[in-house]
Amino acid sequence: MKTKKHHLLIWVLLCLTLLVSSIAIAPQQETAAAPKTDAKLTAIKKRGYMVLGVSADYPPYEFHKTINGEDKVVGFDIDLARQVAKDIGVELRIKELGFDSLLGSLKTGKVDMIVSAMTPTPEREKEVAFSQPYLTVAQKVIVRKGEENKYRSVMAFKGQKVGVQKQTTQEQTAKDELSGAKVVSLEKVTDLILNLQQKKLNAVVVEAPVANAYVQTNKALTLANVKFTNADYGCAVAVAKGAPAYLANVNKTIKTVQKNGQFAKWQKTANTLMFSKQNFWQAYGSYFLKGTGITIVLTILGVFFGSLLGTLLALMKRAKNKLIKGIAVVYIQYFRGTPLLVQVFMIYFGTQVIHLNVSAFASAALALSLNSGAYVSEVIRSGIQSVAKGQSEAARSLGLSSKQTMRLVVLPQAVKTILPALGNEFISLLKESAIVSVIGVGELMFQTSVVQGSSFKPFLPLVIASLIYFALTLILSLVLRVFEKN
Ligand code: ARG
């Protein structure tokens, strides 16, 4: 009897300890699964804003629209991103990039999240973390109207040029499923549509909502009746790896807006916005103005700092000290021997790698200046070399010092050859500045592609941009001619 009581007591005690310990352990386990915060989330909250990376060429997900005379990036992806920021309690800032630059920007910390109709793929999941999908859509093929009967199955694309956006899942789908097609990858969806209209491409693969948007706004295009076997893609929000609390916040927002019907409302709004008619100039004139302004400022900065740097390099190259000379030679060789496009990316992403947060505009101005410095130095050097040797020999024999010879005899003559060549350099700098649109600097070329996207007119904006560039270079050469005469 005694032992029985004993047993009972031990049992009760055992159960009690189990209960107590499970209560004590439970909250700990919960924090381990989804911590309240993490370094990334804390950093964002402290900063007070978060940066959204987006490729705004994808109506109705994300696109440009003029609202009350102001250029805005809109679409249901943007609404979702804004809600995520709101739920975290910070402001949203939008950073536009090419779709193929988004992952790099997220990994280097240039942006805090991507909401850009991005599909979680195994390759991407190695690099970044994805939320739960907020939308699942099919893939469609756009073709020119009247040719839809030619393309009734995946086999019909054999030998045909099929366009896709660079670095997207469509790229893979087209390669895997449209057997024998020649797949062409371009940076922007607007470029794909333009190429299709002009018969440079025979078909374009994009997500169904985007395909419908372009077909409905463009009478020359229609959808081909093609079924892919493996092409229902989910779209999800991407954030950096190793931030579980931050990701949990994003997931919670997605869940809520889907449940309460908010997401469906955003989709409707995006569709209405997309098709609301506007007068072209009223809607887009300001884009070209703004773009032209930024192009001019970038060129002026590039010319100014490029000339300073170029003069310095030219002097260094004439130096007796081998090291100084060597630095100049290598610098010039490097900046003239690699594409400006690569230099722009290197500066923009490279500064982030060494933990300097340089804005896209500053990176662009820096890249243009560094690049132009190399060319200017060569212009100056060849100008000095063009002055006949006899000139400085004569000056020296008349008793002038080498500095005086340079200043009084060689340079004044060299300027005659330097000026026109320098003028050419400035003109090419103005044109080359178009390249920096890849990192999202809002100069003329960037604005042009924005207008292409939101107006659904792929060609007209290009004509306007080319006329503006033409006018700018014309004015510049006229100004330079006045200088050369004096
Ligand atoms: N869903 C596709 C992908 O993840 C295409 C997304 C393109 N998005 C864009 N904003 N252009 O590859």
Side-chain angles (χ1 to χ4, degrees), residues 56-59 62-66 71-74 190 214 217 273-278 280 283-284 287 446-458 461:
D57 57 353
Y58 226 50
E62 44 262 333
F63 56 106
H64 278 261
K65 194 87 206 173
T66 312
D71 168 35
K72 290 251 159 69
V73 179
V74 295
T190 43
Y214 277 104
T217 45
L273 267 178
M274 208 163 55
F275 298 121
S276 68
K277 282 253 174 307
Q278 281 170 309
F280 187 85
Y284 305 113
Y287 292 66
F446 179 84
Q447 305 293 353
T448 303
S449 65
V450 166
V451 177
Q452 284 180 299
S454 53
S455 66
F456 297 97
K457 287 192 171 48

Side-chain angles (χ1 to χ4, degrees), residues 102-369:
L102 287 174
L103 279 181
S105 302
L106 184 61
K107 281 195 73 183
T108 54
K110 286 268 176 201
V111 304
D112 299 311
M113 69 171 164
I114 302 171
V115 192
S116 226
M118 192 176 265
T119 307
T121 62
E123 295 81 36
R124 288 173 184 164
E125 270 163 347
K126 277 187 209 139
E127 314 285 321
V128 298
F130 282 97
S131 70
Q132 64 183 79
Y134 54 84
L135 198 68
T136 304
V137 291
Q139 304 307 303
K140 293 276 175 211
V141 184
I142 313 178
V143 295
R144 285 183 293 275
K145 199 169 256 170
E147 295 190 3
E148 58 270 35
N149 290 335
K150 261 170 65 183
Y151 303 107
R152 284 170 180 262
S153 78
V154 286
M155 301 307 287
F157 292 90
K158 195 168 180 161
Q160 301 293 306
K161 281 197 177 157
V162 177
V164 290
Q165 189 173 26
K166 220 187 251 175
Q167 298 273 306
T168 59
T169 39
Q170 283 80 19
E171 203 171 38
Q172 205 51 48
T173 302
K175 280 181 189 155
D176 292 347
E177 301 207 21
L178 300 180
S179 44
K182 288 185 204 141
V183 177
V184 181
S185 306
L186 299 178
E187 168 107 22
K188 294 245 154 201
V189 178
T190 43
D191 294 337
L192 293 172
I193 301 296
L194 178 59
N195 276 281
L196 176 61
Q197 282 183 326
Q198 309 208 316
K199 308 197 174 167
K200 299 216 164 53
L201 291 172
N202 300 312
V204 168
V205 186
V206 286
E207 254 123 14
V210 182
N212 292 332
Y214 277 104
V215 168
Q216 284 174 46
T217 45
N218 206 317
K219 289 198 181 65
L221 303 177
T222 186
L223 296 181
N225 189 10
V226 183
K227 289 238 159 25
F228 294 106
T229 48
N230 179 24
D232 275 353
Y233 299 161
C235 302
V237 177
V239 299
K241 281 202 160 180
Y246 175 35
L247 184 59
N249 264 284
V250 176
N251 275 326
K252 202 170 144 209
T253 303
I254 293 176
K255 215 173 178 178
T256 315
V257 297
Q258 275 179 334
K259 240 197 195 148
N260 65 15
Q262 186 59 54
F263 191 77
K265 275 190 207 148
W266 288 333
Q267 280 180 286
K268 261 208 189 121
T269 321
N271 275 311
T272 349
L273 267 178
M274 208 163 55
F275 298 121
S276 68
K277 282 253 174 307
Q278 281 170 309
N279 169 298
F280 187 85
W281 285 110
Q282 238 173 9
Y284 305 113
S286 61
Y287 292 66
F288 291 106
L289 266 181
K290 192 168 144 205
T292 307
I294 296 180
T295 291
I296 292 176
V297 172
L298 272 179
T299 309
I300 291 174
L301 288 175
V303 163
F304 181 75
F305 289 110
S307 307
L308 284 186
L309 182 66
T311 316
L312 183 73
L313 285 168
L315 290 177
M316 283 170 73
K317 219 177 163 181
R318 294 177 59 85
K320 298 228 164 59
N321 184 319
K322 282 231 169 74
L323 180 70
I324 294 183
K325 190 174 166 170
I327 293 175
V329 169
V330 171
Y331 180 96
I332 294 168
Q333 195 57 38
Y334 178 79
F335 276 92
R336 294 205 314 167
T338 54
L340 177 59
L341 180 64
V342 176
Q343 295 163 15
V344 170
F345 275 132
M346 285 216 7
I347 291 172
Y348 185 55
F349 291 128
T351 46
Q352 196 72 34
V353 170
I354 55 170
H355 297 294
L356 280 177
N357 199 353
V358 181
S359 72
F361 180 83
S363 305
L366 189 64
L368 289 174
S369 306

Side-chain angles (χ1 to χ4, degrees), residues 50-56 62 77-78 81 92-99 101-103 105-106 110-118 238:
M50 62 191 297
V51 184
L52 162 72
V54 71
S55 169
E62 44 262 333
D77 274 356
I78 310 297
L92 184 77
R93 298 200 182 164
I94 297 174
K95 176 98 201 78
E96 274 194 84
L97 291 150
F99 188 77
S101 311
L102 287 174
L103 279 181
S105 302
L106 184 61
K110 286 268 176 201
V111 304
D112 299 311
M113 69 171 164
I114 302 171
V115 192
S116 226
M118 192 176 265

